[in-house]
Amino acid sequence: MTDPDRLAHAKVGSWFLGPRAENFQILSDFFTAILNDQRLARQNVYSKDPAFITDEMMQTSSYKESVKTLATNSPRYNGHMNMDTALPNMATMMYNPNNVATEASPLSTRYEREVGLQLCHMLGYGSGGVTPWGHITCDGSVANLEAIWAIRNLKFYPLSLKLAMAEGAPLNFLAHATPTFYVGTCKGEKKPFTELSTWELLNLTPSTVLELPTRLGEEYSTLGKDCLEKTFGIKPGKFFVSATKHYSWPKGGAISGIGSVNFVDVAVDEDARMSIDALRTRLNECIEGDSESNYSPVFGTVAIIGSTEHGACDPVKEIAALRDEFQKKGLSFAIHCDAAWGGYFASTIQRDREAPGDFLPFVPALALQPYTTEQLHHLHHAESITIDPHKSGYINYPAGGLCYRDERMRYLVTWTSPIVFHEAAGDAVESMGVYGVEGSKPGAAAVAAWLSHKTLGLHKLGYGRLLGEAVFTCTKLYCHWATMTRPEDDLIVVPLIRLPSEKKGGSEQDVEEKQRIREKILGVSNEELANDKDTWLFLATLGGDLMINAFGCNFKINGKPNTDVGEANYLNQRIFQRLSVTSEKDVVRERPLFLTSSMFSEDAYGKCLATYKKRLQLDDGKTPAHGDLRFLVNVTMSPWPTDSPFLQELALSFREIAEEEVRRVMERNTIKPTFHGFVMQGYDKICLVHMPMFNMANHRWQLIVTADYPTEVQQLYQKLRTENPGKLYTTANANPETLADMLSPGAEIEYRMDDGIPGPDIPPLATFKLSNIRVLVNESMSYAALDTKYPDKMPFYLYGSLRETHIDHVLKTSPNAQLTADRVEVNVEPELSEEQLAKGGLVAVLEDVFEKSVQPLPLDSDGNVKLDAHGLALVPGAKHKVSVYASYEDFKSGSCKPIATGSITIGKGGMFADWKDVNMDPADEPEAVSVQEATFAHWFRG
């Protein structure tokens, strides 16, 4: 006999076209039936109407050509929220009216109303005698914007009423009415409304506000936020939102007039969930001071239920408890849950696992972790919830959604039009388009959601089963990421979510726990796993809150972990490029699976990111690993690839690609003897400017030195420069060397001088040994040493002598251009001394070249820097205002004054400019079979 789990999985299989189009015939029959229904309806409803598309029209060349054009152009994906859409909603594509008004869409408007209530009840709304309401939006961003609008209006509603009750205002009679108009404060005190302070009005609870008369909303709710703040002397209100927020929140702040700056990040914990302690600190800051006039109102707190990048769910239960705590202090606010991604998971709660059986494919549905389930149980505490059917509802775009705990809240975002809104008569359904942000909106989205809800079911045996299977698949993938590498491997793979032993204070390197996962979870069939009670319970403790895995890679060189965040970012970016399709040139069949990528910022992720860097072994405990960190993301919406070899093959394919990229990144970060080129500057005293590369450890140094040349070589160089003052001459080591060896005192290194950058078969102008090498500038160009932003103005190192002064562009940001000019004319006050210029640390800032605005620098069709375009003017004779600083640090600080100001003029020799080589990535050199050859090609490029 077939067991319930197998039957349930078989039912899931009927809801989608399938990874290999297994249900093609079902969908084909489905579409045929829908099209036949459309044909019969159109032919029979007005059967006496004439034909509009005639046989004659069909025979024309233009008609036939158009039809021909139409006919011609018509579960390995784990990259983002992407899977087959459910079969039921495909039926709606043939019927897509405008749901802005009932008369335009009588049926789909009714379905939108039903869908809104279905979502409300699934999310836990509808208890305590409060009637909820919900509707479909085009996406979650618009739903979030509407929630901002509604919550903002909710906060200012009582202030509008206070103005309407003032002397001479229309509702003044309420101020003198008998009995007195009493209202309860958030502390539970009953007071006459007219005696409430501004702070008390701002902190009435949402339910109290919604009980106030609606007449004022119609007459006064358009009174502007700025006007109310000015009238009542209110500080700007704030929204507190998890640092993992979607970008639609600050954008909504800008659109609504609240201001994106007033959407304040709340720090996250090590699992990327909002920290309650951090939120408490933020709320306490709002009521600091000795009087209410110094307080800052809080519009609301936003809890993310399923962050876009790692599926983390913020602690709604604790946020609601914290609101109760602060209401006793006189501070109240609305709670909004951004459950665009996680809302449908409410269908999974209170589900039980059935016992396994024997012969149909067995895919168990894994329950959510207790923490996540608890947050879903407490969604009803929120005033509003964003939920997107086009995400975990498996419905076509565009289909977002917004639900209100109290239906009266929708009146705060009501806007009517005579042509759109007509009073509903009898049992007619009211128009949906008068509420919210949108005007015209697709009816197909509402009908698609309605039919999918009806077919799958918003319960544990429907959507709950589908999402439970996807969670199981995602957790098994998590197990692959968590156990993919061992301590002896050069590749390091670490998921963001910690293993249970780590959460208890153990190390990421816990071999015993990982071995248990390899043997008991990844090494057995799904059926064996489900029958092993202890292991099944252990599996339920693994992975994240929903069905997203965030993970990252690092590498080792000679057994030592890399601590350069930039190189870890490079590795993860390379892996992402190999496992995604970002251009038309990418070959899909070469991608064994698809992932996406994002960035953890230090500002937003704080302690969470610091801990993660330690687990990735980027932080050696000596020097903090600064910088934002790129990571990879897999989103597992598919219930299919769970058992036996398929998931294992995906993981192995990932590892093969990751190890290939590790070999590349190891080579580019391994210091080896190689060739180093230097631009020659000066005439009497030669300065040498190293030709650097951001993407090669061998060349990742901005280096400027002086050296003594043999007399005969110096005379040859002076003769050539006299004859060709604008020509480039270079010096390089004749045999492979490291920079460290070349700079070591007393080193016996053979050099060569060349006319420009030589080809491989061109003999040098001279060979010789240098003496008395002295370093003027020696700055690392590794990621940790770079700035995250381009400077406002363009800085150059300034060095040489009073007679021969040179400049070299400061390379503290990437990508960038090497810009080097010798013998510039400097006129500054006070005059610089010979000693200052010989020292080599001065920085000259061109005050009229705005680097931040011109980066990346303009290039011609050959990839060369346009030196006289977009405000650069770095050509011979160009004169610029200049400020000279004692060091780059002084310039960067913004608080140090320049030691001299004046002008600088580019000399006749012009400027050597390079963009291609300094930014060249050896991995992108198609003809270079190794990094060593790529380096050789860099210097001896033919």
Side-chain angles (χ1 to χ4, degrees), residues 708-719:
D708 291 343
Y709 280 70
T711 302
E712 64 275 14
V713 177
Q714 174 113 3
Q715 290 174 346
L716 172 62
Y717 169 70
Q718 291 173 337
K719 176 178 180 295

Side-chain angles (χ1 to χ4, degrees), residues 128 158 164 213 250 272 361 411 441 478 503 521 562 586 642 644 657 669 717-718 753 761 771 798 800:
Y411 297 125
K441 53 194 292 188
Y478 169 86
K503 293 180 180 180
I521 296 176
N562 162 63
D586 292 335
T642 56
S644 56
I657 287 174
N669 283 283
Y717 169 70
Q718 291 173 337
M753 184 173 74
D761 299 322
S771 60
L798 184 69

Side-chain angles (χ1 to χ4, degrees), residues 694 790 809 811 813-818 851 855 914-915 918-919:
F694 284 106
Y790 292 101
H809 184 211
L811 296 178
T813 41
S814 172
N816 221 322
Q818 180 177 13
E851 179 160 356
Q855 287 283 8
D914 170 62
W915 180 274
V918 70
N919 297 303

Side-chain angles (χ1 to χ4, degrees), residues 45 185 232 483 514 535 628 699 701 800:
V45 173
T185 70
F232 287 92
T483 62
K514 290 185 178 182
T535 303
D628 299 345
H699 300 271
W701 294 91

Side-chain angles (χ1 to χ4, degrees), residues 200-219:
E200 289 171 325
L201 289 168
L202 283 169
N203 289 284
L204 296 178
T205 64
S207 59
T208 301
V209 175
L210 292 173
E211 291 167 0
L212 298 175
T214 59
R215 175 187 171 192
L216 179 68
E218 298 170 355
E219 298 182 9

Side-chain angles (χ1 to χ4, degrees), residues 100-104 414-424 431 433-434:
V100 70
T102 305
E103 64 268 25
T414 303
W415 217 268
T416 61
S417 164
I419 198 169
V420 169
F421 180 75
H422 304 285
E423 292 290 342
S431 294
V434 298

Side-chain angles (χ1 to χ4, degrees), residues 84 90 353 547 703 830 866:
D84 278 356
M90 295 186 182
R353 185 181 64 80
M547 54 189 183
L703 176 66
K866 294 181 180 179

